[in-house]
Amino acid sequence: DQQVKQNSPSLSVQEGRISILNCDYTNSMFDYFLWYKKYPAEGPTFLISISSIKDKNEDGRFTVFLNKSAKHLSLHIVPSQPGDSAVYFCAAREAGNMLTFGGGTRLMVKP
Amino acid sequence: DVKVTQSSRYLVKRTGEKVFLECVQDMDHENMFWYRQDPGLGLRLIYFSYDVKMKEKGDIPEGYSVSREKKERFSLILESASTNQTSMYLCASRPPGLTSTDTQYFGPGTRLTVL
C-alpha cells in the first residue's frame, strides 16, 4: 500500500503558465516532505522541501504548500519554462526513517 | 559538488546471471542507498547502509544483496537475475546524522534489462 501517492502520472502546461503538481500521503507521522526533479538518463535532484510545522516554502519560481489536515502537498511552478519538463517525485520522511517516494508526475511544458 | 557515480549506464544480462552494480560517492558520506525506479511506482528502497560493513533491508530486498567494504563504495548484487528485476537502479548517498533536510544525492542510474 503506497503511503505517498501522486495521482496524476502526467501534466501538460503552456510555457509561462502555472504548473501545479499534487501529492497525497496517508502516514500522519511524516514530518518532512521533499520534491525531487528527474531528467531522462539522470538521477533525481533535490528541488525544494518543507517541514511539517510550516504550510508554505518558497524558492524562486518554486513554492511548496502543505495541508496537514488534508494530508496533501503541492508544488507550484510559476512561470513554467520548457526546461522544467521532467518527472517530479514527492517524498516524505517519518522521523528517523527513510524517505518514501511517490510514483512521480511527468511534467511537459510546451513552448 | 557531491558526485555519485554508477559503474554502468546500461546493462543487459540473461536470466540466472549474477549481476553487480557498483556505486561510488566522493563526499565521505556515511549513508548510502539503492533504489529501483519503475513506472508508476516511483523509487522503492532496496537496501541502505549507514556505515562500512553495515546494511539494512529496505522495502523490497528480496532477490538482492549488498556489500559495503569501503565507505565510498556500495555494491548491489543480483544473485540470480530474473526478468522482473528489469528496472532503473539508482544509488544515492546522504550526509550523516538525522538532519531536517535529509537531502539525498543520486547517481545517474543504471538501466538493467534481464532477458
Side-chain angles (χ1 to χ4, degrees):
Chain A
D1 188 29
Q2 286 187 294
Q3 296 188 68
V4 179
K5 285 186 179 178
Q6 294 175 253
N7 291 316
S8 299
S10 65
L11 175 68
S12 183
V13 171
Q14 203 67 35
E15 181 179 6
R17 306 294 289 268
I18 184 171
S19 296
I20 300 176
L21 294 90
N22 294 303
C23 181
D24 296 295
Y25 62 95
T26 57
N27 186 347
S28 58
M29 300 303 292
F30 286 142
D31 68 344
Y32 204 78
F33 303 89
L34 305 90
W35 285 93
Y36 282 82
K37 179 167 79 172
K38 185 182 185 299
Y39 292 118
E42 294 183 15
T45 55
F46 170 73
L47 187 59
I48 192 169
S49 62
I50 187 167
S51 166
S52 59
I53 62 173
K54 295 187 175 182
D55 55 16
K56 177 183 175 181
N57 188 26
E58 192 172 350
D59 184 2
R61 296 186 298 114
F62 303 90
T63 303
V64 56
F65 295 92
L66 175 63
N67 183 334
K68 284 184 66 178
S69 60
K71 295 191 178 68
H72 177 84
L73 68 155
S74 60
L75 174 68
H76 292 210
I77 307 173
V78 183
S80 301
Q81 298 174 355
D84 295 329
S85 297
V87 177
Y88 289 79
F89 293 100
C90 69
R93 186 198 73 182
E94 183 178 348
N97 289 325
M98 299 297 108
L99 294 179
T100 301
F101 286 83
T105 296
R106 181 177 302 278
L107 174 65
M108 292 163 284
V109 180
K110 298 178 181 177
Chain B
D1 263 2
V2 176
K3 191 158 188 186
V4 180
T5 57
Q6 295 182 229
S7 51
S8 304
R9 297 300 298 271
Y10 300 93
L11 212 51
V12 180
K13 295 292 181 180
R14 298 216 172 266
T15 300
E17 278 193 81
K18 191 169 186 176
V19 182
F20 292 87
L21 302 182
E22 303 284 340
C23 175
V24 178
Q25 50 94 3
D26 66 358
M27 282 302 292
D28 205 36
H29 288 168
E30 270 77 4
N31 301 295
M32 296 187 74
F33 309 82
W34 274 106
Y35 294 89
R36 59 179 285 177
Q37 180 200 348
D38 299 289
L41 298 177
L43 278 70
R44 293 180 292 166
L45 182 64
I46 304 171
Y47 266 98
F48 66 97
S49 169
Y50 52 88
D51 204 349
V52 175
K53 296 193 185 295
M54 306 302 285
K55 61 183 179 184
E56 292 286 344
K57 293 180 180 179
D59 298 320
I60 51 165
E62 296 78 19
Y64 304 94
S65 62
V66 290
S67 173
R68 185 105 181 261
E69 295 297 318
K70 292 185 178 181
K71 191 175 186 180
E72 67 271 19
R73 189 178 298 268
F74 191 34
S75 303
L76 180 68
I77 303 154
L78 286 67
E79 296 290 341
S80 177
S82 63
T83 55
N84 63 12
Q85 292 179 309
T86 292
S87 186
M88 169 70 83
Y89 289 87
L90 292 160
C91 174
S93 73
R94 191 192 78 191
L98 292 173
T99 66
S100 61
T101 59
D102 201 22
T103 301
Q104 295 185 12
Y105 299 88
F106 285 87
T110 296
R111 170 76 62 189
L112 172 66
T113 301
V114 182
L115 302 176

